[in-house]
Amino acid sequence: MSDVLPAGSLAGKVALVTGSSRGIGADTVRYFAEAGADVVINFRNKAPRAEKLATQLRELGGRALVAGADLTDPASVADMFEKVRAEYGRLDVLVLNASGGMESGMAEDYALTLNRDAQLSVLNAALPLLGEGSRVVFVTSHQAHFIRTTPTMPEYEPVARSKRAGEDALRGLIPTLEEKGIGFTVVSGDMIEGTITATLLERANPGAIAERRGSAGKLYNVSEFAAEVALAAVEPVPADNTRLVGDTSGFGGE
């Protein structure tokens, strides 16, 4: 991993990334730990992988708490933040990275439950731990961020609409967050190579990734996009609370 954030720049800070046992979340939480933060690794059902990552991050000199939680279960979320409170007493960075909806065998409303309702639940549960100067980052995709004006692949549309619903709901809390001195940034990325979502889309629509790469010119990989997410947690909040990563020329307005 490269020095995305200056060494020691997050010393004394506490950062939690949802869905951080693998992929973008794991690389994001690693960037935070490399910058000196104490971190919280959240997972739903991959405890050994989360524990392995925590062991690696502790070797960097900071603390790493592993906190499993089903984000669609408010009681489970409350238990996670109680562990954070007991271990660290506070939270300085919350990255809302976990999402889904393309999994097989889930309820029809699962995408909306996870991508909208659970995001609000997690942020509201975290608020007592977030003090002035803290930051919240919501991770989404261009396919979701621009879904109201730019169609996406049919296989992804229900997820895209649910993630946009989540983004809109979270944006509705910006005045409350600003009153508390909490910064909020949406990070929207193009299709990311190597993610589970991209793999599922490719399986449902063979050639989709190559087609998007051809029209965009470049697709970010997992670690490159995670670096943008990590930077969004420390750089000034954009005027429109939005950080766009990757090509947007094929997308209409929001």
Side-chain angles (χ1 to χ4, degrees):
M1 305 285 281
S2 61
D3 294 329
V4 170
L5 304 175
S9 60
L10 291 180
K13 302 292 187 180
V14 179
L16 184 156
V17 182
T18 62
S20 51
S21 68
R22 64 182 176 187
I24 293 166
D27 279 4
T28 301
V29 85
R30 186 183 297 275
Y31 287 133
F32 290 150
E34 288 176 344
D38 294 326
V39 298
V40 184
I41 301 166
N42 162 254
F43 69 95
R44 186 179 66 180
N45 54 16
K46 300 292 184 181
R49 187 164 55 196
E51 292 287 357
K52 181 179 179 180
L53 176 60
T55 298
Q56 294 171 353
L57 299 188
R58 289 175 190 131
E59 292 173 356
L60 297 173
R63 291 189 289 175
L65 173 67
V66 174
D70 176 355
L71 302 185
T72 66
D73 177 359
S76 182
V77 170
D79 182 60
M80 175 176 71
F81 283 112
E82 176 54 31
K83 290 177 181 175
V84 174
R85 188 202 63 75
E87 180 72 18
Y88 297 131
R90 55 196 270 252
L91 190 61
D92 300 288
V93 176
L94 171 65
V95 176
L96 298 168
N97 165 72
S99 65
M102 293 190 69
E103 302 88 341
S104 59
M106 306 304 282
E108 188 175 343
D109 63 348
Y110 177 70
L112 201 58
T113 299
L114 175 60
N115 297 332
R116 183 193 63 188
D117 302 346
Q119 307 303 315
L120 284 172
S121 172
V122 171
L123 178 51
N124 282 319
L127 279 178
L129 294 171
L130 291 166
E132 186 172 355
S134 58
R135 300 292 288 274
V136 177
V137 176
F138 175 66
V139 181
T140 189
S141 66
H142 292 349
Q143 289 75 19
H145 181 67
F146 294 103
I147 188 60
R148 292 195 293 240
T149 59
T150 307
T152 188
M153 289 169 280
E155 299 86 357
Y156 189 64
E157 183 170 346
V159 175
R161 292 198 177 279
S162 68
K163 283 188 69 65
R164 182 66 221 203
E167 178 182 338
D168 291 342
L170 291 167
R171 284 182 182 275
L173 295 179
I174 288 176
T176 299
L177 296 175
E178 288 180 340
E179 283 181 10
K180 298 176 179 293
I182 301 170
F184 175 81
T185 300
V186 172
V187 179
S188 176
D190 202 347
M191 194 179 292
I192 309 299
E193 300 213 51
T195 61
I196 294 172
T197 298
T199 300
L200 291 173
L201 282 171
E202 181 71 17
R203 190 177 301 162
N205 190 357
I209 295 176
E211 181 181 347
R212 181 59 198 151
R213 188 189 305 115
S215 59
K218 166 189 167 59
L219 293 180
Y220 281 63
N221 63 32
V222 168
S223 63
E224 289 171 333
F225 183 65
E228 295 290 334
V229 174
L231 286 168
V234 298
E235 293 185 347
V237 176
D240 62 354
N241 300 87
T242 309
R243 186 185 185 102
L244 299 175
V245 180
D247 179 62
T248 60
S249 60
F251 296 91
E254 296 180 26

